[in-house]
């Protein structure tokens, strides 16, 4: 085989391998999870500006977001290999904690939170 033909085959090989690796990265990105839902009071009215906490139970990292005017919240890009705990607080009240398990294979998980308990 001539040198030019060998170089062409090597280039094709690397192109295919990089394409497969990029495809695997995209597949991994597709596996990331989202947790979303609404925060409401005991009368099911949406609560704006409730603080929603998401705790990674493997790393103990906590992130938070405020609920929007419709009471909605969303956490994206979550590791499918970690369990999470989610709860909301507004003023002196909080919701029950909800758990997202690694055993739950859904890509998008909806957890509606009801703020109706005293903190403490």
């Amino acid at each position: 085989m001539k040198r030019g033909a060998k170089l062409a085959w090597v280039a094709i090989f690397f192109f295919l391998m990089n394409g497969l690796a990029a495809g695997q990265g995209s597949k991994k990105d597709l596996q990331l999870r989202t947790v979303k839902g609404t925060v409401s009071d005991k009368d099911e009215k949406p609560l704006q500006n409730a603080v929603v906490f998401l705790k990674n139970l493997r790393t103990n990292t906590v992130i938070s977001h405020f609920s929007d005017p419709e009471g909605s919240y969303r956490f994206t890009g979550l590791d499918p290999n970690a369990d999470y705990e989610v709860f909301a607080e507004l003023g002196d009240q909080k919701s029950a904690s909800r758990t997202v398990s690694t055993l739950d294979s859904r890509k998008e998980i909806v957890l509606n939170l009801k703020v109706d308990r005293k903190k403490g």
Side-chain angles (χ1 to χ4, degrees):
M1 192 179 268
K2 294 185 178 184
R3 179 173 163 80
K6 285 182 184 179
L7 288 176
W9 280 110
V10 168
I12 291 170
F13 174 77
F14 281 112
F15 176 79
L16 290 173
M17 292 308 293
N18 285 334
L20 290 175
Q24 289 174 351
S26 298
K27 186 175 180 183
K28 183 180 179 188
D29 291 342
L30 294 175
Q31 294 174 353
L32 295 178
R33 296 192 292 179
T34 297
V35 174
K36 68 178 191 171
T38 59
V39 182
S40 62
D41 64 13
K42 63 181 179 181
D43 298 322
E44 301 292 328
K45 293 179 186 170
L47 295 175
Q48 181 178 3
N49 293 326
V51 182
V52 183
F53 297 92
L54 179 92
K55 180 179 182 180
N56 180 321
L57 297 176
R58 186 179 50 165
T59 63
N60 287 324
T61 304
V62 178
I63 56 176
S64 62
H65 291 299
F66 287 102
S67 58
D68 68 15
E70 290 80 38
S72 297
Y73 73 90
R74 174 185 295 267
F75 295 96
T76 60
L78 302 179
D79 183 353
N81 299 311
D83 293 331
Y84 294 91
E85 181 179 71
V86 182
F87 66 95
E89 292 184 355
L90 183 65
D92 65 344
Q93 299 201 337
K94 68 182 278 186
S95 71
S97 294
R98 306 280 304 273
T99 302
V100 176
S101 171
T102 56
L103 300 176
D104 187 337
S105 62
R106 293 177 291 168
K107 181 180 172 186
E108 187 170 86
I109 299 166
V110 177
L111 295 177
N112 296 322
L113 304 171
K114 188 179 291 189
V115 175
D116 61 357
R117 303 169 181 216
K118 291 279 186 193
K119 282 193 222 178

